[in-house]
Amino acid sequence: MVAVFCVVAVSVVVWKACAFVAMAAALLAVGWRVLAAPGSWRRRVGAAATPAGGAECGLSAAAIDALPASEYERPLGSGGAPACSVCLDDVRGGETVRRLPACGHLYHAACIDAWLRSHTTCPLCRSDLSPRRRRATATGRGHS
């Protein structure tokens, strides 16, 4: 009697485990197809949320290129080198850097350019660098 009970208990647990694994695999397969499909819901939501001008989430190439870039020169008598907050590496003399006009934070040009292609804010202080939003705020039409 005890042996029959043990066999039934083990088979029920194994059956439930197999059913759970099969259900999880099916959900994962369906979810993967939805996310990876061309025109998936993420792309449709992103397209609907895009501004009328068709711009993506970040700044345009023209807006990024308009930001001041220069060759970094380490000030005499300064302690350590500043660190780029995007790649976390020190900025060395002779490297091309950008100092963001909204806040003055300094980054490697390539690092901040990559960041700004998908964001419109400073990585450190979140100052908005979007030309459209800055104009709206300056004229008093910005959202609060």
Side-chain angles (χ1 to χ4, degrees), residues 106-119:
L106 184 76
Y107 302 95
H108 292 116
C111 296
I112 195 65
D113 291 358
W115 171 269
L116 292 174
R117 281 192 284 277
S118 59
H119 301 83

Side-chain angles (χ1 to χ4, degrees), residues 58-68 98 113 116 129-132 134:
L59 295 180
S60 67
I64 294 171
D65 289 340
L67 294 171
R98 289 195 195 275
D113 291 358
L116 292 174
L129 300 166
S130 171
R132 186 178 347 186
R134 280 196 318 238

Side-chain angles (χ1 to χ4, degrees), residues 80-136:
C84 172
S85 297
V86 176
C87 71
L88 303 177
D89 198 9
D90 289 339
V91 177
R92 294 178 187 84
E95 293 180 324
T96 304
V97 295
R98 289 195 195 275
R99 187 171 298 277
L100 300 182
C103 57
H105 289 121
L106 184 76
Y107 302 95
H108 292 116
C111 296
I112 195 65
D113 291 358
W115 171 269
L116 292 174
R117 281 192 284 277
S118 59
H119 301 83
T120 59
T121 58
C122 171
L124 277 177
C125 65
R126 302 293 187 212
S127 292
D128 195 356
L129 300 166
S130 171
R132 186 178 347 186
R133 290 189 191 134
R134 280 196 318 238
R135 278 194 303 265

Side-chain angles (χ1 to χ4, degrees), residues 2-44:
V2 173
V4 172
F5 177 74
C6 290
V7 169
V8 170
V10 168
S11 66
V12 169
V13 171
V14 170
W15 178 83
K16 284 182 181 180
C18 289
F20 178 76
V21 168
M23 190 181 335
L27 288 174
L28 183 63
V30 169
W32 180 256
R33 285 187 184 145
V34 168
L35 290 176
S40 71
W41 66 272
R42 290 186 341 171
R43 291 190 193 105
R44 283 194 297 270

